[in-house]
Amino acid sequence: MNFRNRLALPTAFLFAALTLAGCQQGTHPAEAMTKAASPAVPQAVAAVPGGAAAAAVKSIHSPGVVATDEQLAAGQCSAKVVDAASGAYLPDPACTPGAADPAVTQENIDSTICMGGYTATVRPPASNTDKVKAESLREYGQTAVKTTEYDHLISLELGGTNSVSNLWPEPNKASATGTTNPKDAVENTLHKAVCTHRVTLSAAQNAIAHNWVTALKDLGL
């Protein structure tokens, strides 16, 4: 339709269009009641410092092998010490922002992450991760220590994926004798909350990717 034809539109038609637009801006009473009756399930992680919302994690499908989705230089990354005594360290967000597997969705959690044995079907073999771990240690400026875990920021049990952007050499507390660290308990609690539908999958993924130390508090768990 050209500009001349637009000017020729009947006044009644224009009035009807304006009325329709006005209706679309409002909320029907029945719709409002439906929203009010919806269960209060956390949908996203709390705001990050500065008032900005947490960014969505990357989406990468790479079962059984680590995807090299980033090229990092030696010494480029550094872990943040939150509490060295308890083994609370955060990865460098510029190097390890976190990534999730798009094959795991809110709709299929009961047949994927909430089903026993799921992680074994997607976890890469040591022959693959050992090489990438050595590279990651150099990128984070760390030396190999037996208590350091090459850890998924978003764990596999939360739909995390195998990629450089989701794996990092996580230091442990000085008294540790193995790779078990405080983040493991957070992952388990989030996994249970997702599988019992207390929080959504995306909320748990964003919370642990943003700050695993505060993730449970951020989600009210």
Side-chain angles (χ1 to χ4, degrees):
M1 181 184 293
N2 60 32
F3 182 72
R4 187 182 301 276
N5 288 336
R6 286 198 185 94
L7 292 177
L9 285 172
T11 303
F13 178 84
L14 292 175
F15 178 78
L18 289 172
T19 302
L20 177 60
C23 291
Q24 290 175 335
Q25 292 176 357
T27 301
H28 193 279
E31 180 184 359
M33 291 177 64
T34 301
K35 291 180 177 179
S38 299
V41 178
Q43 297 295 316
V45 67
V48 298
V57 299
K58 297 176 66 175
S59 180
I60 300 171
H61 182 58
S62 186
V65 63
V66 178
T68 307
D69 62 322
E70 294 180 335
Q71 296 294 332
L72 304 173
Q76 177 180 340
C77 317
S78 59
K80 177 182 178 182
V81 181
V82 178
D83 184 357
S86 66
Y89 294 84
L90 296 176
D92 190 325
C95 300
T96 315
D101 187 345
V104 178
T105 66
Q106 183 65 45
E107 292 68 31
N108 69 17
I109 56 173
D110 290 333
S111 60
T112 53
I113 62 171
C114 298
M115 180 174 286
Y118 164 77
T119 59
T121 68
V122 296
R123 189 181 300 279
S127 58
N128 178 208
T129 56
D130 284 350
K131 178 182 178 181
V132 190
K133 179 181 179 179
E135 295 174 352
S136 187
L137 285 166
R138 288 192 292 271
E139 292 157 359
Y140 268 83
Q142 298 179 19
T143 56
V145 179
K146 66 178 182 179
T147 58
T148 296
E149 178 182 3
Y150 190 44
D151 196 23
H152 292 82
L153 178 56
I154 302 175
S155 62
L156 294 179
E157 65 180 336
L158 289 173
T161 196
N162 304 301
S163 67
V164 172
S165 60
N166 192 50
L167 283 158
W168 67 297
E170 181 181 11
N172 209 336
K173 56 186 178 182
S175 60
T177 57
T179 57
T180 299
N181 59 68
K183 181 170 176 286
D184 296 335
V186 174
E187 295 169 354
N188 293 337
T189 299
L190 288 176
H191 178 258
K192 182 177 180 180
V194 170
C195 292
T196 55
H197 303 280
R198 290 186 62 192
V199 299
T200 64
L201 176 65
S202 62
Q205 291 174 340
N206 278 283
I208 199 167
H210 169 55
N211 188 326
W212 70 262
V213 176
T214 63
L216 300 183
K217 180 181 178 181
D218 290 341
L219 292 173
L221 297 174

